[in-house]
Amino acid sequence: MTPEQMSGVLSSVAALLGAVLWPVLVLVLVIMFKSEFRKLLKSDDVTFKAAGLEASFQRKQVEAAVALGAATAKQAAGLTPEAATSPARVADALAQALPDERTQKHLEGSVVLWVDDRPENNVYERQALEALEVRIDLAESTDQALALLRQQSYDLIISDMGRPPDRRAGYTLLDKLRASGNQTPFLIYAGSRLAEHIQEARDHGALGATNRPQELILMVVGTLSSRPAER
């Protein structure tokens, strides 16, 4: 699809949906036409105009939307039709998760430690954060995470739950940190977001727990954007 054809698609659909859904529409189309949008990204800022409407995005925001959309699609592929989130709700969640320009500036330079023995499971989520200029260090075990934490401080830690042979490795790491006085914000990104599991994570000292990419990014952005300017 050429840039001219892309503009035609945007114009036609925007005319049907109107101004209220325009920002969400752009995010959905970014995900649908990933390769075509990448051809348009020759500058740091991208502006779309259609049907008297205009929306501007920084390159990093578009790339983050693409990665987050891919993460959402990957998750949805493993769900039953009854459990899958509707496209409209996905688009709305994406629009909420991506930071505005002011918040984006505050994210730059932040450093996250991501602990997961299978990092290939969250490639897209990490790409979304990296597109927003968040640096991510990876650890595949509790011991490796503790070693990294002895070397430097982090603005946030994201951890899965089970890492063989410890089925509650996320809590094992969190409990060790809190017992040592380390109060780095901590999120559990695992297979459940049941109310009891979220409460259990908070009882251990985490900010919360989720298994949804959009909610994770929203929580990460909220946490990092509230950090002090100087660590």
Side-chain angles (χ1 to χ4, degrees), residues 154-198:
Y154 288 90
D155 297 300
L156 175 68
I157 300 169
I158 302 171
S159 176
D160 63 349
M161 181 53 71
R163 295 187 288 274
D166 187 355
R167 296 180 60 186
R168 292 167 62 87
Y171 291 151
T172 299
L173 173 60
L174 178 54
D175 292 344
K176 287 184 177 182
L177 292 177
R178 296 299 184 255
S180 70
N182 187 316
Q183 297 299 316
T184 303
F186 199 106
L187 289 172
I188 297 291
Y189 188 50
S192 171
R193 66 184 301 277
L194 294 175
E196 56 264 37
H197 293 155
I198 293 174

Side-chain angles (χ1 to χ4, degrees), residues 43-100:
S43 62
D44 290 335
D45 296 289
V46 181
T47 300
F48 297 105
K49 297 180 180 180
L53 306 171
E54 181 173 327
S56 296
F57 298 88
Q58 291 185 327
R59 176 184 179 128
K60 62 190 69 174
Q61 290 176 305
V62 176
E63 291 184 347
V66 170
L68 184 52
T72 303
K74 179 183 176 186
Q75 182 194 54
L79 300 176
T80 63
E82 294 76 13
T85 303
S86 71
R89 292 183 64 186
V90 169
D92 184 58
L94 288 175
Q96 292 180 36
L98 291 176
D100 57 29

Side-chain angles (χ1 to χ4, degrees), residues 114-119 121-122 139-141 158-160 163 189:
W114 198 309
V115 190
D116 195 320
D117 61 318
R118 299 183 65 184
N121 287 344
N122 45 62
E140 296 187 18
S141 69
I158 302 171
S159 176
D160 63 349
R163 295 187 288 274
Y189 188 50

Side-chain angles (χ1 to χ4, degrees), residues 216-228:
L216 174 72
I217 300 302
L218 190 61
M219 295 168 73
V220 171
V221 168
T223 302
L224 296 180
S225 63
S226 63
R227 69 190 178 100

